[in-house]
Amino acid sequence: MLGKTTHTNQLDAFRPQLKQLLSPLHTLVQLAEEVDWVWIEEQLASYYAESGRPSVPVRTIVGMLLLKHLFNESDETVLDRWVENPYWQYFTGEQCFQHQAPFDSTDFPKFRQRVGQEGIEKVLALSVKLHPGAEQEKEVQIAPTVQGKAITARRPPFLLIPSFRRRS
């Protein structure tokens, strides 16, 4: 059964909404507004049964797959980073900050198996819909930074953030 993302307009006094906390100028906030989530849910609805246990919502798992490829993450690390990043949570349709991953990493291969090659192509078509006319281009440019680099850092990546100086 197709899982649905629950959206309520009711505010929770103890849990502020992510939209109130995040910058509307952030790339992922703007991208979340541009992505046609209804279209992809309609495209993938035929892969789900009418009855049974509800699945992971399509926006959540497709959003995770997009984040996984945008940031070159594995199935496990994308879930770890999702828990600590409110912008990633907003992108995948969450309204309030979550402290646990919405599903297990084993749900990624289950989803890929369920939708097959045709369904994954529909997910890729979603990214093409963000850039109208791109499918007609004769030449596609690929940024070299997308490929993984064979460089090992001596410190974990989160320690590579530049430090800020205190003002006197």
Side-chain angles (χ1 to χ4, degrees):
M1 186 165 99
L2 184 61
K4 301 283 185 182
T5 306
T6 57
H7 292 289
T8 60
N9 292 332
Q10 176 105 13
L11 295 177
D12 187 345
F14 300 107
R15 296 181 68 199
Q17 293 202 342
L18 286 173
K19 193 165 189 158
Q20 296 172 339
L21 300 173
L22 304 178
S23 168
L25 302 176
H26 192 277
T27 308
L28 286 177
V29 173
Q30 293 176 350
L31 188 60
E33 303 302 325
E34 286 185 37
V35 173
D36 192 353
W37 298 109
V38 174
W39 177 85
I40 192 64
E41 190 169 302
E42 290 170 356
Q43 293 295 312
L44 298 178
S46 63
Y47 297 102
Y48 292 87
E50 293 295 322
S51 61
R53 189 181 119 209
S55 67
V56 174
V58 170
R59 178 172 179 174
T60 304
I61 197 150
V62 168
M64 290 280 201
L65 286 172
L66 293 173
L67 290 169
K68 177 182 181 290
H69 291 288
L70 279 171
F71 295 97
N72 198 23
E73 297 289 334
S74 70
D75 288 352
E76 293 82 15
T77 60
V78 74
L79 289 168
D80 292 340
R81 290 198 52 202
W82 182 89
V83 170
E84 60 192 31
N85 193 326
Y87 287 99
W88 284 29
Q89 292 186 19
Y90 180 79
F91 181 75
T92 58
E94 291 296 330
Q95 290 186 334
C96 298
F97 188 79
Q98 303 298 317
H99 299 280
Q100 294 179 1
F103 56 87
D104 191 61
S105 64
T106 59
D107 286 323
F108 281 119
K110 290 176 188 174
F111 174 77
R112 290 184 200 105
Q113 223 174 10
R114 174 185 301 232
V115 299
Q117 183 67 28
E118 185 179 310
I120 295 298
E121 287 175 5
K122 290 177 182 179
V123 173
L124 293 175
L126 180 66
S127 64
V128 172
K129 283 182 63 128
L130 290 174
H131 306 286
E135 67 277 3
Q136 303 298 326
E137 294 290 327
K138 293 180 182 178
E139 184 177 309
V140 178
Q141 295 181 359
I142 299 174
T145 57
V146 174
Q147 300 298 324
K149 296 180 181 173
I151 299 173
T152 57
R154 293 179 190 252
R155 299 183 280 176
F158 61 87
L159 295 177
L160 299 176
I161 298 171
S163 61
F164 295 97
R165 295 183 188 162
R166 284 188 164 176
R167 292 186 181 176
S168 303

